[in-house]
Amino acid sequence: MTDRERLEAELEQSLSNGAYTQLFLEDILELWQEEGVSPDVILREVRVLEGLDRPLMEVEGDEPIRIWVGDRETIYNRSPSATKEATQFVREHSPLRGLWHKHYFINREDFLKPNLKNHAVKYPNQLPLMAMITRLAEGKVTGEWIIFKMEDGTRTYLCLAKHSTNKDEELAIAQRIRVA
């Protein structure tokens, strides 16, 4: 069985009623083969969106899990994902307006820097390791994007993209999707 066939089979198992484009498949395959990133990083987030994954930490009852990080208490994230919830592109002139994105996180320097920078705004004196533990515990990790559309409760996964707030980069993402 080829890598592509294995990936297609895993992707199919990760969907409850969603669909995906060939561009999405190619993006995951490229990330895996050229950068050595396990497809499960993306497939886990797809399973979260599809409602197929279990929480990272399961406990009996509905009580929140309180943990101490440094000198403060935080509530442990009971989601199956450590990344932020999926959100829709809503900026008025965004070429991606109406589409959705979900973060996926890879433990590498280029993913750690923005998380540490975002965290330092609220907690400037926390050590980097504690900052990442806090963001993971709170489910506020940011990363790169899984771009998808949502119609009648069904998700279609379109592509992977670098996290961007730049309109030109968003335009390039939109053009990739249209061409595919």
Side-chain angles (χ1 to χ4, degrees):
M1 182 179 274
T2 67
D3 285 347
R4 174 185 290 280
E5 291 168 336
R6 286 184 14 225
L7 179 57
E8 286 175 330
E10 286 292 322
L11 191 48
E12 289 295 329
Q13 289 180 353
S14 297
L15 300 173
S16 60
N17 68 345
Y20 63 92
T21 64
Q22 284 301 305
L23 178 59
F24 184 67
L25 177 72
E26 294 293 331
D27 284 351
I28 298 172
L29 195 59
E30 181 180 320
L31 196 61
W32 181 20
Q33 292 177 334
E34 294 183 17
E35 297 186 38
V37 175
S38 170
D40 198 51
V41 171
I42 290 94
L43 297 178
R44 178 177 185 84
E45 299 300 338
V46 168
R47 289 189 302 269
V48 167
L49 289 165
E50 294 288 311
L52 297 176
D53 236 350
R54 295 169 37 175
L56 294 172
M57 181 176 184
E58 289 187 323
V59 295
E60 300 268 336
D62 293 340
E63 291 298 314
I65 302 168
R66 299 180 190 288
I67 61 172
W68 285 92
V69 180
D71 60 349
R72 69 184 196 88
E73 181 183 45
T74 190
I75 304 298
Y76 187 82
N77 171 28
R78 293 182 62 185
S79 164
S81 173
T83 62
K84 295 177 179 181
E85 294 289 322
T87 56
Q88 191 172 29
F89 291 99
V90 294
R91 201 174 65 238
E92 187 176 347
H93 298 291
S94 172
L96 300 174
R97 185 181 173 99
L99 297 178
W100 290 74
H101 70 287
K102 173 80 169 107
H103 293 272
Y104 68 92
F105 176 79
I106 302 170
N107 189 10
R108 288 204 246 177
E109 185 178 346
D110 57 336
F111 289 89
L112 293 173
K113 283 182 180 178
N115 279 287
L116 295 174
K117 182 180 174 187
N118 291 343
H119 191 76
V121 171
K122 193 172 179 184
Y123 306 104
N125 297 322
Q126 204 168 41
L127 296 172
L129 178 59
M130 294 309 292
M132 281 310 299
I133 290 170
T134 303
R135 287 185 75 77
L136 287 163
E138 294 176 342
K140 293 185 178 176
V141 174
T142 189
E144 304 300 8
W145 289 341
I146 296 170
I147 309 285
F148 63 98
K149 68 179 178 179
M150 178 103 75
E151 291 178 331
D152 301 323
T154 301
R155 288 166 210 80
T156 302
Y157 301 94
L158 303 171
C159 70
L160 300 179
K162 296 282 185 184
H163 187 288
S164 171
T165 53
N166 179 313
K167 188 175 180 180
D168 291 336
E169 290 174 6
E170 287 186 7
L171 184 58
I173 296 166
Q175 288 173 333
R176 272 187 82 220
I177 292 168
R178 273 190 221 104
V179 167

